[in-house]
Amino acid sequence: MVLLASSACAAAPAFGQASAVEGRVGKLESEMRAVQRKVFPGGGGQYLEPEIKPATPDDTPGSPSGSPLSDLTARVNALESQLSGVTGQIETTQHRTQVLEDAFNAYKRSTDARIKALEDTAASTGGGTGSPAPIMGDADAPPPRAGGKGAGVKPPAARPGKADDVAPPTTDPARQKQLAAIERSQSGDPAEDAYLYGYRLWQAKMYPEAEAQFKLVTATYPKHKRASYAQNLLGRSYLEDGKPSLASLAFYDNYKKWPDGERAPDSLYYLGQSLVRLGKPAADVCKVYRELEDVYGAKLSDAMKADVTRAKAQSKCG
C-alpha cells in the first residue's frame, strides 16, 4: 500500500509535466498553422509537419527512452525552432517592403518638388533687362529639300477660308505684300505644311503672324512631331518680339506637354534665357539649366552643351 502510494506520488509530477507540455504543443501547432496561412496563402489549409529528429536516448536513471514526455519535448523544441525561423522570414520581408516604400516616397517627393519649382519659376513675371547668353543657331530649320536651295512648290493663290490662313489681318499694303510672298508647302502632310509656313513667317520676322500659326499647329496636331517644334518656335517668336514673360510660359509648356519632343531640351535652354531677360534671380535661372542637364544631359548635342556651359557661367551657376 505504501509502495503504491509512493508510485502514485511519483507519477503525479510526471503527469502534470506531460499535461503542461501537451498544452504548449497545442498552442505552438495552432500558431504555426496561423503563420503558414499568412506565409503560404491558398495552401488549402495544409499543415506542414516539422521534421523531428529522433530523440537522443536519455541515460538518466528513471527516465526511460521514448517516453511520452520526451516525445512531447522533442515536438515542442522542433515547433519552437520552426516558428522562430518563419517569423524571422516574415520580419525580413516586411523590412524590405518598408525600405522600398520609403525609397519610392522619397523619389516622389523629390520629383514633385522639382516640378513645382519649375512651375513657380516659369509662372513668375517681372520687369528688368539682362544680358542673356548668345542665342543658339537656327535649330528649328526644316531639312533641305531635294532639288537644291530654293526648290519647292511656289505659293498658290490665296484661298479664302484655308485652315492655315490664321495670321492677324493687316491693312498695311507693304506688310500684305510681304505676307503674300511667304511660300506655302503642299507636301500632303497638313501638319508639316502648317509648321513650315509658320517657320517661314518667323524667319521673315513676321512675329504676330508666326505666333498665330504656331498656336494653330499645336492645337490642331498635338500628336504630330512638329507640335514640339511649333511650341518651341512660339516661345522664340515671343522672345525675339520683346515678350519674355509670354516666352517663358511657352517654353515651359513645351517641356511640360511634350517632354519627349525633339525641341523640349531647346525650350528649357530658352526658358533660362527668358528668365535672364526678365531679370530673375540667378538661382532661378540655374535651376532651369540644372534641370536641362539632369533630364536631357545624355541627349544634348555638343553645340548645346557649349551654349549651356556658357549660359551657366554668365549666370554664375555653381
Side-chain angles (χ1 to χ4, degrees):
M1 200 62 184
V2 174
L3 182 59
L4 288 174
S6 300
S7 299
C9 291
F15 178 76
Q17 291 178 354
S19 298
V21 173
E22 189 69 49
R24 290 173 62 196
V25 170
K27 181 180 180 181
L28 284 170
E29 288 178 340
S30 176
E31 292 178 353
M32 180 60 70
R33 290 189 183 93
V35 170
Q36 288 185 325
R37 282 195 299 271
K38 182 175 182 180
V39 178
F40 307 106
Q46 296 181 353
Y47 173 68
L48 305 181
E49 292 287 347
E51 296 181 1
I52 303 176
K53 296 181 180 179
T56 303
D58 192 347
D59 295 331
T60 304
S63 300
S65 175
S67 68
L69 180 59
S70 62
D71 291 342
L72 287 173
T73 301
R75 289 173 62 192
V76 168
N77 292 336
L79 284 168
E80 287 178 337
S81 176
Q82 188 178 15
L83 181 60
S84 176
V86 174
T87 302
Q89 292 177 0
I90 293 175
E91 292 176 348
T92 300
T93 301
Q94 290 175 339
H95 174 69
R96 290 176 178 173
T97 302
Q98 186 63 46
V99 169
L100 288 175
E101 289 179 353
D102 291 344
F104 173 78
N105 289 334
Y107 167 77
K108 185 176 183 297
R109 286 193 299 269
S110 175
T111 302
D112 290 345
R114 175 182 293 180
I115 293 175
K116 180 64 166 57
L118 275 175
E119 288 177 343
D120 292 343
T121 298
S124 62
T125 58
T129 58
S131 300
I135 298 296
M136 294 188 299
D138 190 4
D140 293 85
R145 286 183 249 162
K149 185 177 180 180
V153 180
K154 294 295 182 181
R159 287 173 287 177
K162 193 174 186 304
D164 57 2
D165 291 338
V166 297
T170 176
T171 58
D172 183 356
R175 194 169 186 84
Q176 288 179 339
K177 182 178 180 180
Q178 184 183 11
L179 183 61
I182 301 297
E183 178 186 356
R184 298 178 188 273
S185 300
Q186 291 182 327
S187 66
D189 182 345
E192 181 74 12
D193 294 342
Y195 167 75
L196 291 179
Y197 180 55
Y199 170 79
R200 294 178 184 124
L201 289 168
W202 170 77
Q203 196 175 39
K205 301 187 185 302
M206 303 184 72
Y207 298 125
E209 294 86 352
E211 290 154 13
Q213 185 68 17
F214 293 138
K215 289 177 182 178
L216 171 72
V217 174
T218 57
T220 309
Y221 311 104
K223 301 296 185 181
H224 198 278
K225 73 172 186 177
R226 286 302 191 185
S228 176
Y229 285 77
Q231 186 68 23
N232 183 62
L233 273 187
L234 174 62
R236 290 184 64 177
S237 182
Y238 281 138
L239 191 60
E240 294 170 21
D241 198 22
K243 303 172 183 176
S245 181
L246 291 175
S248 67
L249 294 175
F251 290 132
Y252 179 70
D253 279 346
N254 196 28
Y255 172 60
K256 184 177 181 181
K257 295 179 180 178
W258 295 279
D260 297 323
E262 293 185 36
R263 288 298 178 261
D266 300 69
S267 286
L268 272 184
Y269 172 81
Y270 286 116
L271 174 57
Q273 298 293 288
S274 300
L275 296 179
V276 171
R277 294 275 179 91
L278 287 167
K280 293 301 175 183
D284 291 343
V285 178
C286 294
K287 284 181 183 178
V288 175
Y289 293 140
R290 281 195 296 271
E291 182 78 2
L292 171 60
E293 292 178 324
D294 289 346
V295 178
Y296 302 109
K299 300 179 181 179
L300 299 181
S301 65
D302 292 339
M304 180 176 281
K305 288 179 181 178
D307 286 325
V308 173
T309 299
R310 182 168 53 251
K312 288 173 62 179
Q314 290 186 353
S315 294
K316 298 181 181 179
C317 301

